[in-house]
Amino acid sequence: MLASKKFMEKLLPYHDRLQGVMQFVSIFSGTLSLEIQVVPLHDPFGPTISTPAIDVLVVSEETLPGAQQINSIRVEKGMPRLHVVPVEFVKLVSGERISSTMIRSHLTLS
Amino acid sequence: MPMSIATERTVGLWMPADCSGAHIRTAVKHIWATTTAQVTRLILVLDENRNDEQRSFGEYYWMIRDAYKSSLMSMSVDDGLQVDLQVFIYPAFLAIDALLKAYPDILFYAPLGTDLPSSLIQPVTFSLDKLVQATPIFKPQREEFDAMQPHSFDVVALGGTFDRLHAGHKLMISSAIILAKKSVVIGLTGTEILSIFFL
């Protein structure tokens, strides 16, 4: 998750990123009555290594190794393993995979 | 004569959920070719057209993934990085009210004969006949996705920095929402830990 964050000066503040996530979530899941909790992460694991009730962890291909680490910590602590759902990268027409770093770099250059 | 200045615009594209990637690519190209405004946001709604059919998580996942992929295939790299592309599933997940509240000026495009919800104003229509013949899309087999059902796990978690939400983030968030029965826990990286690691 924290590998090579470039163009940090263009990184949006926490509040703006939170708003971006919540706007999309509220429209996508508008017909459901899901409880959505946003938790600030102060380390790479967050609640996944302290909350036994979590069943599934959705990760990007990039953070798949992190998920394996989380599961070994959970097993050590006597918590059930998480089902890991790896989501693929999405590519641009050029074949490059889209990332926040690319978007920030594009803002810097244009 | 003054030059007309292109205005920024949120465009909607209403498509049947069982359309192919080729249909989406052609429809997106059609929008780009016919609008004089600069499209800054593209909202793609996949209409299941029925509520009763049960889809597996895998089917939803492929549907959404292909929609992002196909839309991006029809855009330049610049547009792919700049346009806020969002894919929604109707009626199982998308709330039209929330969409209209967020983007009141949205202008929808839809294939001729599409039955849109009455709360939406008349769409700009185009003919699907003109679209290329659908070609089957190669879908890699992921049996574990097909074996999972929507709303089948109480608590689903995901995490990230989620800076300038892009298609990959939205595919992750959508997957988590589809799988969850009770709650979704989103870990959002605090700016201070990024600072510790990088500044």
Side-chain angles (χ1 to χ4, degrees):
Chain A
M1 181 194 312
L2 293 173
S4 99
K5 290 266 181 283
K6 291 179 188 149
F7 306 100
M8 285 290 294
E9 68 282 2
K10 293 282 183 185
L11 182 90
L12 292 172
Y14 185 88
H15 179 260
D16 295 26
R17 291 183 281 122
L18 172 65
Q19 223 174 17
V21 169
M22 285 315 290
Q23 170 113 316
F24 179 75
V25 167
S26 62
I27 302 173
F28 190 96
S29 67
T31 59
L32 312 175
S33 45
L34 280 180
E35 183 198 351
I36 309 289
Q37 298 174 44
V38 180
V39 184
L41 292 182
H42 303 294
D43 62 69
F45 305 119
T48 56
I49 54 164
S50 54
T51 312
I54 298 174
D55 303 297
V56 176
L57 182 63
V58 176
V59 296
S60 67
E61 288 176 307
E62 189 184 27
T63 52
L64 194 53
Q68 282 149 6
Q69 211 180 335
I70 286 170
N71 264 338
S72 6
I73 299 173
R74 283 177 70 96
V75 169
E76 273 171 36
K77 289 187 168 184
M79 297 196 287
R81 282 176 165 275
L82 299 174
H83 294 266
V84 178
V85 174
V87 168
E88 297 149 279
F89 292 119
V90 183
K91 288 175 180 171
L92 295 163
V93 68
S94 58
E96 296 162 285
R97 63 183 203 229
I98 197 163
S99 68
S100 300
T101 305
M102 264 196 97
I103 298 172
R104 288 196 297 269
S105 109
H106 190 262
L107 288 169
T108 308
L109 302 173
S110 58
Chain B
M1 270 198 26
M3 292 254 298
S4 65
I5 297 162
T7 48
E8 299 194 346
R9 166 127 255 171
T10 295
V11 167
L13 174 59
W14 194 278
M15 294 290 278
D18 54 3
C19 71
S20 73
H23 285 136
I24 292 174
R25 289 198 296 276
T26 314
V28 171
K29 281 183 185 152
H30 173 80
I31 292 172
W32 253 247
T34 53
T35 180
T36 52
Q38 189 187 345
V39 180
T40 50
R41 182 174 293 108
L42 178 64
I43 305 286
L44 174 48
V45 179
L46 299 173
D47 186 346
E48 294 186 279
N49 212 4
R50 55 190 178 276
N51 249 328
D52 49 355
E53 190 174 321
Q54 292 290 313
R55 287 180 204 273
S56 69
F57 166 68
E59 285 173 283
Y60 278 122
Y61 176 84
W62 299 122
M63 191 192 284
I64 296 171
R65 183 200 79 139
D66 283 349
Y68 279 116
K69 241 175 95 169
S70 304
S71 305
L72 286 167
M73 291 299 279
S74 310
M75 292 181 199
S76 65
V77 170
D78 281 359
D79 281 341
L81 291 171
Q82 280 166 3
V83 173
D84 175 16
L85 172 64
Q86 306 184 28
V87 177
F88 298 111
I89 310 276
Y90 178 84
F93 297 93
L94 169 69
I96 297 283
D97 296 354
L99 180 70
L100 291 178
K101 199 176 160 205
Y103 310 116
D105 298 327
I106 190 167
L107 173 69
F108 264 101
Y109 282 67
L112 272 170
T114 305
D115 213 2
L116 262 72
S118 53
S119 49
L120 296 174
I121 58 158
Q122 278 304 302
V124 179
T125 54
F126 56 87
S127 168
L128 256 183
D129 301 341
K130 286 186 191 156
L131 299 186
V132 291
Q133 200 60 39
T135 44
I137 307 169
F138 170 68
K139 292 186 180 176
Q141 289 298 305
R142 275 219 207 165
E143 284 169 14
E144 74 270 28
F145 280 17
D146 292 331
M148 292 170 135
Q149 296 310 312
H151 321 301
S152 59
F153 296 95
D154 283 345
V155 186
V156 179
L158 74 165
T161 307
F162 297 117
D163 183 33
R164 304 173 197 276
L165 225 54
H166 59 65
H169 295 139
K170 291 169 204 166
L171 183 58
M172 277 179 73
I173 296 172
S174 307
S175 300
I177 290 170
I178 292 169
L179 285 170
K181 190 156 75 181
K182 290 182 185 161
S183 68
V184 176
V185 179
I186 305 172
L188 186 58
T189 312
T191 310
E192 82 290 351
I193 76 160
L194 291 167
S195 312
I196 292 165
F197 280 79
F198 297 101
L199 296 183

